[in-house]
Amino acid sequence: MVWFAGGSLLAAEARPDLTGKVVFDDGAAVTNATVFIYTAGPKEGSAVVCPSCYADCGKKAKTDAQGAFQIVALDPALRFRLLVLAPGCESQYVEKTDPAEGAKTITLKRLDAVK
């Protein structure tokens, strides 16, 4: 809630958290993966700044032992492009992620040690 000098009370706009889980294609949890907010763009209309210049860009979270992650307090007017990195895995971009749509499951592929 935000108070203004006139004494009126306005509700602060909710800033949703992005939550989810990072797993391998067999469903096993990926521990210590890093989920980055790589770029962003407005849900409606045109962008007025570069895709990586939004305040939320650069926020990140590590996955826990169950593969879960949380990035807190994101701009509700934006969609995000995520970059997910984990040791021994191919990097993964996740396009048009909207925290308001609920928890996100991201699947990573293991790197082929032979290649």
Side-chain angles (χ1 to χ4, degrees), residues 17 22 39-40 45 74-75 83 85 113:
D17 296 345
V22 180
T39 59
L74 298 174
D75 187 331
L83 173 60
L85 304 170

Side-chain angles (χ1 to χ4, degrees), residues 11-12 14-15 23 25 33 36 39 53 56 61 81 98-99 110 112-113:
R15 295 184 59 86
V23 298
D25 51 8
F36 294 93
T39 59
C53 293
D56 290 330
R81 182 179 192 208
D98 185 349
R110 290 180 174 94
D112 185 347

